Amino acid sequence: SFATSTQLTETLVPATSTATVLPTTVVAATAPETTITFLEDGQVWVYNRSQNRVGLFDIGAGRLTWASRPLAELFGSLDYQVNGGMAALYEKDTRKLWVGPANELVRAWFPERPDQVLALGSRVVITATGKVIVVNADGWYELSLDPSRRPDTGGGTSAPPVSAHPVPKQFNEDPGMTTVSAVGDKLVYLSSIGLLFTDGQQVQIAGVSPVLQLAGPDSDSVLVASSAGLFEVNLVSGVVTTLAEGFDGTPARPARVGSCVYGAWAGQEPQWLKACNDQNVLTTPIPGAAGDTLVLRFAGDRVALNEIATGAVWVEEDGAFSKASIEWAEVATEVRS
């Protein structure tokens, strides 16, 4: 299946080239209901913790097109990422990782064998160019597709260990709580106390509950949000620019999508933020928000906001920010293959 690397884990293959994977329709044989649901243009994966379900949301149409059956194991330690045409599902508790093209790896069930079992404390990052990076205390390494991979079976092959690229020493001081992201192909790190660091910079971010931007396009700066506001940190000089402040809530991880910057804060007065082409920052109250976990989802240049506790989704259309009408109980759950 998918595997590779530049460091030994339990299932590795040397990272030499990325295979061209032709579109395919696959139903795995690991369970009667196992299915691979295809991610189409403009769709994102959204969560509903109250029902233990995941769904496919079409941002352009503003509607949910498919939802899984209730599956408690999809929540808790599961980390799902998609970027640059690649996707990864990482179970932090078991350290199992599944990786593959994004249009294959949006699924409610996975092959029994993971593509890799990572080292304790590992972080997974997918860059805007589709590189899959694994970071742990021993260093970081890149994964790549095994040309013989099959999306329905899982499991990788072994390979001799290869030296990993070093990580900043600060990562090892707080590995359990440090977030890792990427600006282009450059890795950035944020500790639980708001210390942002890269290979050459170390900057303290104000406020509590600091969060690092989602992996995004190449830039000379990185976004960090906290209860104190949204900040842009220059990766060369370390200069911190305050883009917005005055919030009183838990921030979502900000995102840079195209020429725009996005942010959101949950709380008693939830807010949505957008700024494009270095123009004025616009903030909008989030109508009907509930819960305290907001996540930005994006597909291409389209962006949606997902409130995980209830499964609510908001979208922007023609300058207006509104809540999508979603009835999770009425969404189709049929097996698609």
Side-chain angles (χ1 to χ4, degrees):
S1 169
F2 188 98
T4 91
S5 98
T6 55
Q7 172 179 325
L8 181 65
T9 62
E10 294 186 25
T11 53
L12 302 178
V13 171
T16 53
S17 62
T18 299
T20 300
V21 181
L22 298 177
T24 182
T25 299
V26 179
V27 177
T30 55
E33 294 179 328
T34 298
T35 182
I36 295 174
T37 303
F38 286 79
L39 184 68
E40 299 171 359
D41 290 342
Q43 288 186 337
V44 291
W45 213 25
V46 294
Y47 291 174
N48 183 334
R49 182 179 289 131
S50 66
Q51 296 186 19
N52 286 338
R53 301 171 75 190
V54 295
L56 291 180
F57 182 80
D58 189 310
I59 298 179
R63 65 186 181 89
L64 206 61
T65 60
W66 176 89
S68 73
R69 292 177 174 81
L71 291 166
E73 61 268 27
L74 288 175
F75 297 89
S77 69
L78 181 65
D79 176 24
Y80 171 76
Q81 295 183 51
V82 59
N83 208 358
M86 295 297 295
L89 289 156
Y90 179 40
E91 291 181 345
K92 295 180 182 178
D93 287 348
T94 64
R95 297 180 282 123
K96 294 178 180 178
L97 175 68
W98 291 264
V99 189
N103 67 338
E104 292 178 0
L105 205 67
V106 179
R107 62 180 83 176
W109 296 267
F110 326 119
E112 182 177 351
R113 292 182 301 161
D115 293 303
Q116 289 201 25
V117 178
L118 303 181
L120 186 66
S122 293
R123 298 288 186 270
V124 179
V125 179
I126 304 182
T127 73
T129 57
K131 293 182 179 180
V132 182
I133 306 294
V134 175
V135 186
N136 60 41
D138 294 326
W140 66 265
Y141 57 92
E142 179 186 345
L143 303 180
S144 61
L145 285 176
D146 178 357
S148 63
R149 70 177 295 276
R150 286 184 55 190
D152 60 330
T153 56
T157 57
S158 60
V162 182
S163 298
H165 302 280
V167 296
K169 63 181 179 61
Q170 297 95 325
F171 179 82
N172 294 326
E173 296 172 358
D174 188 19
M177 298 298 293
T178 297
T179 304
V180 185
S181 190
V183 176
D185 292 334
K186 183 178 181 62
L187 294 179
V188 288
Y189 306 79
L190 181 70
S191 76
S192 59
I193 59 172
L195 183 65
L196 177 76
F197 51 94
T198 63
D199 292 334
Q201 296 292 337
Q202 180 171 303
V203 178
Q204 182 66 52
I205 303 299
V208 298
S209 304
V211 288
L212 187 58
Q213 78 163 62
L214 298 169
D218 190 29
S219 175
D220 60 3
S221 63
V222 62
L223 303 170
V224 183
S226 76
S227 61
L230 179 64
F231 307 96
E232 188 173 40
V233 183
N234 189 286
L235 292 172
V236 177
S237 66
V239 171
V240 180
T241 301
T242 301
L243 298 182
E245 55 187 345
F247 302 101
D248 184 20
T250 304
R253 293 182 65 177
R256 191 186 303 275
V257 183
S259 61
C260 296
V261 167
Y262 296 87
W265 285 259
Q268 293 185 343
E269 297 181 358
Q271 296 284 320
W272 160 268
L273 177 150
K274 179 180 180 181
C276 297
N277 298 311
D278 297 324
Q279 301 298 313
N280 293 335
V281 176
L282 302 176
T283 58
T284 304
I286 301 174
D292 60 359
T293 307
L294 297 172
V295 179
L296 288 163
R297 314 284 189 188
F298 56 90
D301 60 354
R302 291 183 175 273
V303 179
L305 182 66
N306 178 205
E307 202 291 298
I308 289 178
T310 63
V313 182
W314 292 263
V315 293
E316 183 187 44
E317 191 67 34
D318 297 328
F321 187 63
S322 60
K323 187 175 183 179
S325 179
I326 296 177
E327 296 294 338
W328 279 84
E330 299 177 5
V331 178
T333 59
E334 72 272 9
V335 173
R336 291 168 51 179
S337 58

